[in-house]
Amino acid sequence: QQGSKRASAFSNDCLKTMCREKGLAYSGKRFDLVLNLLKNESGKGGTPKTAAGSFDDDGNFQPKKRAKSMALPNIEKIKERAFKKICPSNETTRKWSNNKHKYHPVECVNFASDTIEKEIFGKELFERGEVKLAWEVIDAVLHHIIRGDQERERAYYAEASASGQMVFAIRTKPGLGRAQFEVTSKLFPNLIKAVEATNSSEILREFGEEILRALEKEAKAYSIDDEIFSATLDKKFPCLKDLPPKM
């Protein structure tokens, strides 16, 4: 029986916590964590790797915080990361387990939410007047969630039609139905925050209306109907029927 499966064994998270409490490096594989703890306790086998930080007055280790980067987002790199995350190649997905396929939509929505938080709010783009850039980030992370890999879909249908084979529908965008909680609890609130932070109605309508309405439509296709998100869009982008009559 492997040690990791014994009832008395420490989990990886437990080992990391033990290393962190002692001011030791707490990244790496299970072997590295155990070896570091043994070196620290026995004083043999070399000097254990330590983590960056210091102990407070109560003897608790406080990891050194990394300085927050305020460099403006690189839109092209974000697009590349988004495409790789949301529209992986067939060669990649063939290696996935059933569980990986199942939770891929959750990973995609979390990626979009986390990127918005880090690159827009973390770097204070609205406060710095980089409103257009903020919406370019939002478009970059939502584009393939909404539209998938259109180039791959067109190539598939063209090849299937040319060969005379039966054409089956393919889907290259993640199904949001499996990520309903992440959509309503993380993604929609971040987008509402971005809408409210945009002080230019022209920029909001030019860069935000189409992508947000498309996301709303995609979500509703999976019965994800968020009243606050929809009300925010209706307020900022009123339909023609909702506009007051001209005098």
Side-chain angles (χ1 to χ4, degrees):
Q1 186 181 17
Q2 294 182 4
S4 60
K5 294 184 178 179
R6 293 175 188 156
S8 61
F10 292 111
S11 67
N12 272 18
D13 287 340
C14 184
L15 290 171
K16 289 180 179 180
T17 300
M18 293 167 66
C19 287
R20 188 183 297 111
E21 290 175 347
K22 297 177 183 296
L24 303 175
Y26 47 89
S27 62
K29 298 181 179 180
R30 183 181 184 82
F31 174 82
D32 299 321
L33 299 172
V34 173
L35 183 61
N36 226 20
L37 287 167
L38 290 174
K39 285 181 179 180
N40 185 65
E41 293 298 325
S42 67
K44 299 178 181 179
T47 304
K49 295 180 180 178
T50 57
S54 59
F55 289 93
D56 59 22
D57 295 337
D58 296 325
N60 299 316
F61 183 75
Q62 302 297 331
K64 182 179 180 180
K65 295 182 179 180
R66 294 182 179 180
K68 183 171 68 173
S69 172
M70 297 298 284
L72 293 178
N74 185 319
I75 295 298
E76 292 307 314
K77 286 188 177 180
I78 293 176
K79 287 180 178 179
E80 290 176 10
R81 287 166 47 213
F83 180 76
K84 185 177 180 180
K85 168 65 72 174
I86 300 166
C87 301
S89 66
N90 292 331
E91 291 74 16
T92 298
T93 56
R94 288 193 193 103
K95 302 174 184 177
W96 285 2
S97 65
N98 289 337
N99 234 29
K100 178 69 173 177
H101 279 284
K102 180 179 179 180
Y103 290 104
H104 179 239
V106 172
E107 292 181 1
C108 293
V109 174
N110 282 337
F111 166 81
S113 299
D114 293 344
T115 302
I116 290 171
E117 290 177 4
K118 177 183 176 182
E119 299 293 342
I120 296 178
F121 301 125
K123 295 183 177 180
E124 303 175 357
L125 294 192
F126 288 110
E127 292 83 352
R128 297 163 69 182
E130 298 288 350
V131 181
K132 181 180 175 182
L133 181 58
W135 282 100
E136 287 178 349
V137 172
I138 291 173
D139 182 81
V141 297
L142 294 183
H143 179 86
H144 294 295
I145 288 178
I146 297 168
R147 299 181 176 88
D149 185 350
Q150 294 176 311
E151 185 176 336
R152 189 195 308 176
E153 292 179 11
R154 285 194 293 267
Y156 164 78
Y157 290 127
E159 182 179 350
S161 299
S163 64
Q165 298 177 356
M166 184 178 294
V167 179
F168 296 95
I170 65 168
R171 186 180 185 85
T172 58
K173 55 186 177 182
L176 295 182
R178 291 191 181 276
Q180 180 171 354
F181 175 78
E182 289 73 19
V183 170
T184 56
S185 66
K186 292 182 64 178
L187 184 57
F188 279 174
N190 276 332
L191 293 173
I192 292 172
K193 184 178 178 180
V195 168
E196 298 296 345
T198 304
N199 53 19
S200 169
S201 58
E202 291 78 13
I203 290 179
L204 185 58
R205 184 169 291 278
E206 181 179 356
F207 295 98
E209 182 175 17
E210 182 180 351
I211 195 74
L212 295 179
R213 284 297 191 189
L215 177 64
E216 180 188 34
K217 182 179 179 181
E218 184 71 16
K220 286 185 175 181
Y222 291 92
S223 301
I224 303 175
D225 195 354
D226 188 280
E227 293 183 1
I228 298 177
F229 183 67
S230 294
T232 300
L233 298 192
D234 290 340
K235 177 182 177 182
K236 296 294 182 178
F237 315 120
C239 299
L240 291 177
K241 62 181 179 62
D242 297 326
L243 295 174
K246 294 181 178 180
M247 301 299 293

